[in-house]
Amino acid sequence: KTETALVHLKSQLLRVPFLRELEKQLLPILRTQAYASIYIFSPDGLSKHIAELIPRQLKDSIRLVVSGNYMRFSPLFLLEKVATA
């Protein structure tokens, strides 16, 4: 049980710097162009936080939010998920 708590604490400590860096990198990209569709693939527990980083005027462009670990999947697999959404 203590090990699980430590893993959870570690993931919480990593989440904040990750989201700050993501926001720093993502916002300039999102502000330079208009996007008709936004698809979010992210690890469990981060999807909601990542969706919250999307500027208000682009929120309606979010078409799909999928939680999970997709590191070992090919980009074609992700495109197939988008196509069936």
Side-chain angles (χ1 to χ4, degrees):
K1 192 169 185 173
T2 303
E3 185 176 321
T4 304
L6 288 174
V7 169
H8 181 71
L9 178 60
K10 188 175 182 180
S11 71
Q12 294 293 336
L13 292 173
L14 292 173
R15 181 181 300 174
V16 172
F18 169 77
L19 289 171
R20 283 187 186 140
E21 184 62 26
L22 178 64
E23 182 176 31
K24 188 170 100 178
Q25 300 293 324
L26 187 62
L27 290 182
I29 294 167
L30 292 175
R31 288 183 179 146
T32 59
Q33 296 182 26
Y35 294 91
S37 300
I38 297 173
Y39 300 89
I40 300 172
F41 291 86
S42 70
D44 294 331
L46 284 179
S47 297
K48 177 183 170 190
H49 299 291
I50 292 172
E52 289 172 354
L53 294 177
I54 305 296
R56 186 178 306 120
Q57 63 272 21
L58 292 174
K59 293 266 190 214
D60 291 338
S61 299
I62 298 174
R63 302 286 179 248
L64 179 67
V65 178
V66 182
S67 295
N69 185 350
Y70 294 95
M71 293 296 295
R72 296 186 180 172
F73 291 89
S74 76
L76 292 176
F77 174 81
L78 298 177
L79 287 174
E80 287 173 359
K81 282 193 97 48
V82 166
T84 60

